[in-house]
């Protein structure tokens, strides 16, 4: 019984951490129409930043300053934000393709940095040893697992509430305005470049929060944790849940993580021994098929974006067209 | 120094071949296609299959050509692989991209291309295994061109560079001397006007995929011939090929060729100051430099959002 509960707690902690990253991506893609092809870099910046600042001292690397957990987490988040600010500054003015390519590039550059800068990141063997936050309060491992889950869920709820308020604020409306029709938004005095950059940095910082929680949970991070597949998983979570809907984003995170864990378990148990080294490939094909299949058959996701109708009853548009393609030139 | 430069030029010619098709597709369909580089993988592996088939069917053709490790069977296989890869590119467009293009915006296309890349790469892994493979099991010996500075060149490398240049020249002739070339340029300039003038857009889209697929297949085989083929081949070329198109300016064929050489040479020379582990990040630094200095690339039009 205890084993079951502690497994569920472990599962939910991971799913909730991913859900936070998906919420960050939703601000990018769902609400602003920004393509982030390097989620893993911002997640990783949060993870490594937190680890370097808050980890245990280690003679072989520069980091391990052992700062208090929340301070270290904040540092990781700031690092993710700074990375996003630099990339965003160079690309948000240009064709949307450039952001996609640059963010993809950031992820590759970040990975080669983590693999090679041994003095900072420990190279391929990674960084190990993170004092468990609030461990002093509880001695029991089982209770600790539940407590950490409660903490992650609290962060998830806070991020959710914060984002819901943000997207309903004038700022959020301006984001959707530039997503739908940049020229119209510009004519109303909105500055698309600044709005996009702000949204890009905030979303990336949220991904940094997820990364920071991830390392404090595992007390370990290596380039293996930041494989490109993580970006795809988070993308799949968002597209399944529903871009432009924060509840959908959270739902998608739990569903995809459940499907990923279950498929991994089934393959490990039932696949022939010779096939075992290819189970990863099968899971990757599943994730890719989920992405392509959703885009083809249900692009709005399970929980579509709820469109607020503020003016007349005739201001409707088909759901799921939440990309820059729909330029509504009609006057309402 | 000179060795890094020569190796860089060779890699550059392979990147150029890959970038030509990408720049045409990005210009015509207006989306960053992240699955495009997987066509190099499809090309490399289909050439491997054809090579083995032909070697079994017509053993006497499985002979090396002169000093090259390239065999007669493989050279026929390259052509077959170019056809197969061009056809797979068209099929992918029909199955996925065309349908998304009709219903959603360019960002959904970018998104879908990520998914397609993931599927293709892992199907290749399942079919051929994780292990890297070689076209020819024999060691291709390099020829010492000079001792001081030390310069080693494999005959295959010379062949690849020459073949790549010939392919580019052929493309140049097609684009500048044939009706197809004219209509292609017309569509790239102004799709609406071209259609009014009687160019069938859907046919042009198919031809660009065939062209891009064919050139990528050649690039994939050439890479395999001078290095090795593995399921990661496509993934490793995604960023260099994008960097080449951005350096050259999206839509410019000549820009893509030049961009490919610039990216290849820069990555080669970077080995003199950076450990080789950082080579994958080089194209990213080049992209950043272009964004800072000349966002629309060397020959690109100023295209803002």
């Amino acid at each position: 019984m205890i084993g079951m509960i502690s497994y569920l707690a472990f599962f939910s902690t991971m799913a909730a951490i991913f859900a936070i990253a998906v919420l960050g991506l939703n601000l990018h893609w769902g609400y602003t129409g920004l393509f982030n092809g390097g989620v893993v870099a911002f997640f990783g910046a949060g993870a490594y930043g937190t680890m370097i600042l808050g980890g245990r001292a280690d003679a072989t690397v520069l980091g391990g300053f052992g700062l208090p957990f929340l301070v270290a987490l904040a540092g990781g988040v700031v690092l993710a934000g700074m990375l996003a600010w630099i990339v965003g500054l160079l690309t948000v003015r240009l064709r949307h393709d450039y952001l996609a390519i640059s963010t993809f590039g950031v992820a590759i550059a970040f990975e080669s940095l983590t693999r090679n800068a041994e003095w900072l990141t420990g190279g391929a063997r990674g960084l190990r040893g993170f004092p468990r936050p609030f461990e002093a309060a509880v001695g029991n491992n089982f209770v600790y697992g539940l407590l950490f889950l409660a903490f992650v869920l609290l962060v998830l709820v806070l991020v959710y509430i914060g984002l819901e308020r943000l997207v309903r604020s004038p700022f959020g409306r301006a984001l959707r305005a530039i997503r739908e029709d940049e020229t119209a938004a510009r004519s109303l005095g909105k500055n698309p470049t600044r709005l996009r950059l702000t949204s890009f940095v905030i979303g990336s910082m949220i991904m940094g929060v997820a990364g920071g929680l991830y390392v404090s949970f595992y007390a370990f991070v290596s380039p293996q944790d930041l494989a490109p597949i993580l970006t795809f998983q988070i993308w799949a979570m968002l597209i399944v849940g529903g871009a432009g809907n924060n509840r959908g984003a959270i739902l998608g995170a739990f569903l995809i993580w459940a499907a990923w864990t279950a498929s991994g378990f089934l393959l490990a148990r039932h696949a022939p021994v010779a096939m075992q080294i290819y189970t990863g490939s099968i899971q990757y094909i599943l994730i890719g098929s989920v992405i392509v299949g959703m885009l083809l058959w249900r692009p709005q996701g399970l929980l579509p974006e709820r469109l607020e109708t503020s003016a007349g009853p005739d201001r409707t548009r088909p759901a799921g067209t939440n990309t820059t393609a729909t330029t509504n030139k009609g006057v309402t | 120094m000179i060795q890094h430069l020569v190796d860089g030029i060779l890699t550059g010619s392979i990147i150029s071949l890959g970038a030509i098709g990408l720049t045409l597709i990005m210009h015509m369909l207006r989306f960053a296609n992240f699955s495009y580089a997987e066509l190099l993988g499809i090309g490399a592996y289909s050439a491997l299959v054809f090579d083995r088939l032909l070697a079994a069917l017509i053993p006497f053709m499985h002979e090396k050509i002169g000093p090259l490790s390239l065999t007669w069977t493989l050279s026929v296989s390259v052509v077959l692989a170019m056809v197969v890869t061009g056809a797979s590119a068209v099929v992918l467009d029909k199955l996925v991209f065309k349908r998304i293009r009709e219903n959603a915006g360019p960002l959904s296309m970018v998104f879908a291309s990520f998914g397609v890349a993931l599927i293709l790469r892992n199907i290749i892994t399942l079919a051929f295994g994780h292990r890297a493979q070689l076209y020819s099991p024999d060691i291709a010996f390099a020829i010492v061109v000079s001792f001081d500075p030390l310069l080693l060149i494999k005959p295959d490398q010379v062949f690849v560079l020459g073949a790549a240049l010939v392919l580019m020249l052929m493309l140049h002739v097609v684009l500048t001397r044939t009706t197809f070339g004219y209509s292609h340029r017309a569509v790239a300039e102004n799709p609406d006007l071209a259609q009014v003038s009687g160019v069938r857009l859907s046919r042009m889209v198919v031809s660009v995929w065939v062209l891009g697929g064919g050139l990528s297949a050649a690039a994939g085989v050439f890479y395999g011939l001078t290095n090795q083929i593995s399921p990661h081949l496509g993934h490793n070329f995604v960023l260099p090929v994008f960097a080449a198109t951005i350096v050259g300016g999206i839509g410019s064929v000549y820009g893509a060729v030049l961009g490919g050489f610039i990216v290849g040479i820069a990555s080669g020379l970077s080995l003199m100051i950076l450990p080789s582990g950082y080579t994958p990040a080089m194209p990213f630094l080049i992209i950043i430099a272009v964004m800072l200095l000349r966002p629309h690339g060397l020959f690109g039009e100023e295209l803002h959002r």
Side-chain angles (χ1 to χ4, degrees):
Chain A
M1 184 63 193
I2 287 221
M4 191 68 193
I5 293 175
S6 66
Y7 181 74
L8 272 179
F10 169 80
F11 171 84
S12 311
T13 310
M14 287 305 292
I17 289 174
F18 287 132
I20 294 170
V22 179
L23 284 176
L25 184 68
N26 196 19
L27 183 63
H28 289 166
W29 164 265
Y31 291 105
T32 325
L34 290 172
F35 194 98
N36 186 342
V39 174
V40 70
F42 305 102
F43 185 91
Y48 270 94
T50 306
M51 191 67 168
I52 288 168
L53 293 174
R56 290 209 182 88
D58 180 344
T60 57
V61 289
L62 176 77
F65 296 112
L67 294 177
F69 171 60
L70 289 177
V71 178
L73 183 62
V77 171
V78 168
L79 188 68
M82 273 161 50
L83 188 65
W85 186 70
I86 295 169
V87 178
L89 208 57
L90 291 167
T91 49
V92 286
R93 275 177 302 114
L94 302 164
R95 249 174 86 161
H96 56 76
D97 299 350
Y98 285 86
L99 185 69
I101 299 168
S102 310
T103 44
F104 182 78
V106 165
I108 289 189
F110 190 84
E111 199 197 341
S112 34
L113 185 76
T114 54
R115 278 191 196 282
N116 295 288
E118 298 212 347
W119 55 275
L120 183 66
T121 61
R125 70 195 156 81
L127 293 173
R128 192 178 292 279
F130 192 89
R132 295 171 107 184
F134 359 95
E135 195 183 21
V138 267
N140 186 325
N141 236 340
F142 173 68
V143 179
Y144 180 82
L146 292 180
L147 192 71
F148 194 84
L149 171 63
F151 174 69
V152 171
L153 288 176
L154 176 72
V155 176
L156 175 63
V157 169
L158 287 177
V159 170
Y160 172 78
I161 294 173
L163 276 177
E164 282 289 302
R165 294 183 70 140
L166 189 73
V167 297
R168 305 216 182 296
S169 70
F171 174 77
R173 283 201 295 276
L175 288 185
R176 288 197 295 279
I178 57 165
R179 180 190 75 190
E180 296 300 330
D181 189 338
E182 181 174 339
T183 320
R186 200 190 285 272
S187 76
L188 294 170
K190 306 294 175 204
N191 181 345
T193 308
R194 190 185 305 156
L195 286 166
R196 267 200 202 98
L197 186 58
T198 314
S199 156
F200 187 62
V201 171
I202 296 175
S204 304
M205 287 171 85
I206 296 173
M207 292 170 189
V209 172
L213 291 172
Y214 180 86
V215 284
S216 43
F217 183 53
Y218 271 115
F220 172 68
V221 65
S222 81
Q224 285 294 316
D225 298 303
L226 305 176
I229 187 66
L230 184 62
T231 299
F232 292 106
Q233 288 171 324
I234 290 173
W235 271 109
M237 289 167 181
L238 181 60
I239 189 79
V240 165
N245 184 323
N246 284 328
R247 278 184 215 174
I250 297 172
L251 175 72
F254 279 82
L255 283 180
I256 290 290
W257 187 240
W260 178 267
T261 334
S263 64
F265 176 76
L266 288 176
L267 285 168
R269 181 163 250 206
H270 297 296
V273 179
M275 283 299 288
Q276 288 292 340
I277 55 167
Y278 294 107
T279 54
S281 295
I282 295 170
Q283 285 185 295
Y284 290 2
I285 292 176
L286 290 178
I287 288 280
S289 310
V290 165
I291 291 177
V292 175
M294 288 302 287
L295 283 168
L296 283 175
W297 292 297
R298 199 177 161 84
Q300 70 275 34
L302 295 178
L303 300 182
E305 179 176 10
R306 282 163 302 168
L307 297 161
E308 291 167 47
T309 46
S310 50
D314 54 349
R315 283 200 66 206
T316 48
R317 66 182 173 99
T321 51
N322 53 354
T323 61
T324 46
T326 49
T327 43
N328 195 352
K329 293 205 177 74
V331 182
T332 47
Chain B
M1 156 96 196
I2 189 91
Q3 182 75 56
H4 291 315
L5 184 69
V6 169
D7 290 343
I9 291 173
L10 178 85
T11 321
S13 68
I14 294 171
I15 299 174
S16 293
L17 281 183
I20 293 170
L22 182 65
T23 205
L24 290 174
I25 286 166
M26 272 179 83
H27 195 54
M28 189 173 280
L29 301 179
R30 299 186 195 268
F31 80 106
N33 186 349
F34 280 85
S35 65
Y36 182 80
E38 301 304 327
L39 295 175
L40 273 80
I42 296 183
Y45 277 100
S46 40
L48 184 73
V49 172
F50 283 124
D51 184 45
R52 300 280 145 88
L53 267 177
L54 288 173
L57 289 174
I58 336 172
F60 67 87
M61 266 181 74
H62 200 55
E63 287 286 321
K64 289 181 186 154
I65 306 173
L68 306 176
S69 73
L70 179 83
T71 56
W72 292 105
T73 47
L74 184 59
S75 36
V76 176
S77 306
V78 179
V79 180
L80 293 174
M82 287 171 76
V83 175
V84 166
T85 312
S88 356
V90 175
V91 170
L92 278 178
D93 187 58
K94 282 262 175 333
L95 282 180
V96 181
F97 296 120
K98 188 160 179 264
R99 296 164 67 176
I100 292 177
R101 199 155 61 224
E102 281 158 5
N103 301 317
L107 280 175
S108 298
M109 301 272 284
V110 179
F111 195 176
S113 74
F114 265 98
V116 170
L118 196 61
I119 297 173
L120 289 179
R121 193 182 316 141
N122 287 289
I123 289 179
I124 292 180
T125 313
L126 284 183
F128 295 95
H130 289 290
R131 208 165 38 85
Q133 301 193 42
L134 295 167
Y135 287 119
S136 153
D138 307 326
I139 300 163
F141 289 103
I143 294 167
V144 183
V145 180
S146 87
F147 279 104
D148 187 38
L150 186 65
L151 179 59
L152 299 168
I153 295 180
K154 290 182 204 162
D156 285 333
Q157 294 180 309
V158 179
F159 164 78
V160 164
L161 183 63
L165 292 175
V166 167
L167 280 175
M168 288 172 203
L169 192 71
M170 279 161 63
L171 182 73
H172 167 77
V173 171
V174 168
L175 285 182
T176 52
R177 301 278 191 281
T178 64
T179 324
F180 165 74
Y182 287 130
S183 32
H184 178 264
R185 276 156 60 197
V187 172
E189 291 275 321
N190 187 336
D192 295 333
L193 197 60
Q195 270 186 302
V196 172
S197 321
V199 177
R200 259 179 60 191
L201 203 58
S202 56
R203 192 174 286 173
M204 295 315 292
V205 170
V206 168
S207 70
V208 163
W209 283 112
V210 171
L211 207 67
L215 292 175
S216 309
V221 179
F222 291 167
Y223 183 80
L225 192 63
T226 46
N227 293 277
Q228 55 186 15
I229 45 176
S230 80
H232 297 288
L233 195 151
H235 184 67
N236 295 341
F237 270 95
V238 176
L239 206 52
V241 169
F242 268 125
T245 58
I246 288 179
V247 169
I250 293 168
S252 164
V253 172
Y254 305 106
V257 171
L258 193 61
F261 281 106
I262 292 176
V263 172
I265 293 171
S267 302
L269 292 182
S270 75
L271 288 171
M272 294 192 304
I273 40 172
L274 283 173
S276 63
Y278 288 104
T279 312
M282 254 329 266
F284 172 66
L285 297 180
I286 295 172
I287 292 174
I288 293 295
V290 175
M291 303 269 175
L292 280 171
L293 302 171
R294 202 178 161 85
H296 51 279
L298 292 174
F299 301 115
E301 316 146 36
E302 258 179 88
L303 256 179
H304 284 255
R305 294 173 65 101

